[in-house]
Amino acid sequence: MSVAPSEDGPRAAVELSFRGAPLASAEAQRALLDRVVLPPAFASATFDGMVGGVTTGRLRVLQVNLGKTCNMTCAHCHVDAGPHRREQMDDATIAHVITAMDRLRPAVVDLTGGAPELHPRFQELVVEARSRGIEVIDRCNLTILLVPRFRALPTWLAEHGVTIVASLPHYRSRNTDAQRGDGTFTASIEALRRLNDVGYGAGRPDRQLHLMTNPAGAFLAPDQAATEVVWKRVLLDTYGVRFDRLLALNNMPIARFLEWLDGRGGTAAYLAHLVERFNPGAAGGLMCRDTLSVGYDGATYACDFNQMLELPVEDDGRTLNIDDPSVWAEGRSVRTGRHCFGCTAGAGSSCAGATG
Ligand code: SF4
Ligand code: SF4
């Protein structure tokens, strides 16, 4: 059930925007996906047509992208985040997000980036959400916890009952280092040990530690439940590390992963693979039905993927910001595109793992 290490899989790469790469533009990414000729059986298929349209239900998750700055440059990063990115949420937008917690009453505030911990008001947002009884997720890249100024962060997160969702592509160092940079695996294990030391990964509801795995190439995520069993055994036996849940995600054909696909002439084949492995059972669990994603500039999106492709939530052609009273409406149509097939392929894929 493990993902075989891929010798020719994507490698950690400097940000597209820093290199001035053509696919740094969201418009260029969308155009590339739209140009692809799908297999004959799906030649005129659209995502909306195959799922019967996607509409919003009741809001559950307010996902806040605090910015694009990150200490890493992972190959699969759909944010095109990295150390050269400077975009960060400003104080006015932070204030709107806090107000939105009261207005929208989400069950979960999901803090992401970039590395969300790098935002100077990260801890303040955690406190604001927790004081309202809202569950908080920190989408943590693990290596950030080894940066000296964040050494006390695991204890602080534990004391505030923050759920940690941490990226770890694979339990083999070769595979993880290839995707995320040399030394990442060793650093990640050290960070996981520190989290275990403060009570994470032992089954406590207020110290949940989830790991996120993604494939090392142009194939789908493995079976989540079966893989979790293997991962738990290997990480405990080999490294003495415990975690609570494994989330298996498909790679989305966006940003750096899309550049890698395109560079090897593999975009059409990957999209065809996603479409051919369409799973109608995964469509019901699409995260865009109950999630509102906020960009660093306050613009809102159905999900983090639409955010990176610059497909904002609109009402009568007007882009809705987080401070707009009508930012969430049940029954609103979700903007979809060909990238969405990544969410319904195989067992389905979302920020919470498999959906099917
Ligand atoms: S740690 Fe996350 S945000 Fe940072 S480069 Fe990697 S995938 Fe992107
Ligand atoms: S990419 Fe976003 S909008 Fe498209 S199906 Fe997935 S969650 Fe929904």
Side-chain angles (χ1 to χ4, degrees):
M1 284 302 162
S2 62
V3 180
S6 171
E7 293 295 349
D8 63 347
R11 294 285 191 267
V14 173
E15 302 98 305
L16 299 170
S17 57
F18 185 71
R19 286 183 272 128
L23 287 177
S25 143
E27 192 180 352
Q29 294 177 48
R30 295 196 308 266
L32 171 59
L33 293 173
D34 287 342
R35 273 200 307 274
V36 165
V37 177
L38 293 174
F42 300 96
S44 57
T46 63
F47 185 79
D48 263 3
M50 286 177 72
V51 301
V54 185
T55 53
T56 53
R58 188 168 178 185
L59 180 77
R60 193 178 66 82
V61 179
L62 182 63
Q63 188 172 64
V64 184
N65 194 310
L66 287 169
K68 296 179 188 285
T69 312
C70 190
N71 58 320
M72 302 186 72
T73 53
C74 307
H76 59 279
C77 185
H78 67 271
V79 182
D80 194 29
H84 300 103
R85 302 298 298 262
R86 294 287 177 262
E87 302 93 325
Q88 293 264 288
M89 190 170 275
D90 64 18
D91 288 343
T93 308
I94 293 274
H96 291 321
V97 166
I98 293 169
T99 303
M101 291 182 201
D102 291 325
R103 194 172 70 247
L104 300 173
R105 299 190 166 279
V108 179
V109 165
D110 182 339
L111 300 176
T112 187
E117 303 88 349
L118 286 171
H119 195 286
R121 298 185 65 186
F122 167 79
Q123 294 191 359
E124 187 182 335
L125 273 180
V126 170
V127 170
E128 292 286 354
R130 296 300 290 141
S131 71
R132 290 164 171 80
I134 300 172
E135 179 186 350
V136 174
I137 292 174
D138 171 20
R139 292 201 178 263
C140 178
N141 67 24
L142 292 176
T143 62
I144 196 74
L145 299 178
L146 302 195
V147 173
R149 70 182 162 111
F150 294 117
R151 284 189 85 89
L153 191 57
T155 302
W156 190 89
L157 292 168
E159 287 170 354
H160 289 80
V162 174
T163 295
I164 294 181
V165 178
S167 309
L168 189 71
H170 203 267
Y171 58 72
R172 290 194 184 99
S173 63
R174 181 174 54 148
N175 193 309
T176 290
D177 284 3
Q179 286 193 53
R180 315 198 78 197
D182 289 343
T184 299
F185 183 79
T186 302
S188 299
I189 293 295
E190 172 59 22
L192 288 169
R193 286 185 177 132
R194 292 183 189 184
L195 291 169
N196 283 175
D197 286 347
V198 295
Y200 277 101
R204 285 179 57 165
D206 59 342
R207 304 274 203 282
Q208 284 289 293
L209 174 58
H210 304 166
L211 298 185
M212 273 192 326
T213 177
N214 63 286
F219 47 93
L220 300 185
D223 178 86
Q224 184 169 279
T227 307
E228 179 181 293
V229 173
V230 176
W231 276 58
K232 282 190 167 173
R233 178 172 49 75
V234 173
L235 286 179
L236 184 60
D237 291 354
T238 314
Y239 303 103
V241 161
R242 296 177 192 275
F243 66 98
D244 295 297
R245 285 185 61 207
L246 183 73
L247 312 178
L249 274 69
N250 292 332
N251 287 320
M252 297 300 281
I254 299 173
R256 296 209 280 267
F257 186 71
L258 180 59
E259 185 194 49
W260 174 78
L261 282 173
D262 199 47
R264 67 205 306 264
T267 307
Y270 189 63
L271 264 191
H273 188 48
L274 297 180
V275 174
E276 286 166 351
R277 293 291 306 280
F278 176 77
N279 173 5
L286 291 173
M287 62 181 170
C288 47
R289 296 186 192 278
D290 66 3
T291 298
L292 183 66
S293 162
V294 189
Y296 72 91
D297 59 356
T300 62
Y301 305 83
C303 69
D304 213 40
F305 307 126
N306 277 15
Q307 184 178 146
M308 300 315 146
L309 290 175
E310 296 176 8
L311 296 169
V313 175
E314 290 182 345
D315 191 24
D316 292 331
R318 190 172 57 93
T319 297
L320 297 183
N321 249 50
I322 187 62
D323 59 335
D324 194 301
S326 60
V327 72
W328 185 265
E330 291 187 31
R332 179 177 280 150
S333 291
V334 172
R335 298 176 74 180
T336 62
R338 285 178 156 184
H339 61 290
C340 297
F341 285 111
C343 293
T344 48
S349 184
S350 75
C351 288
T355 61

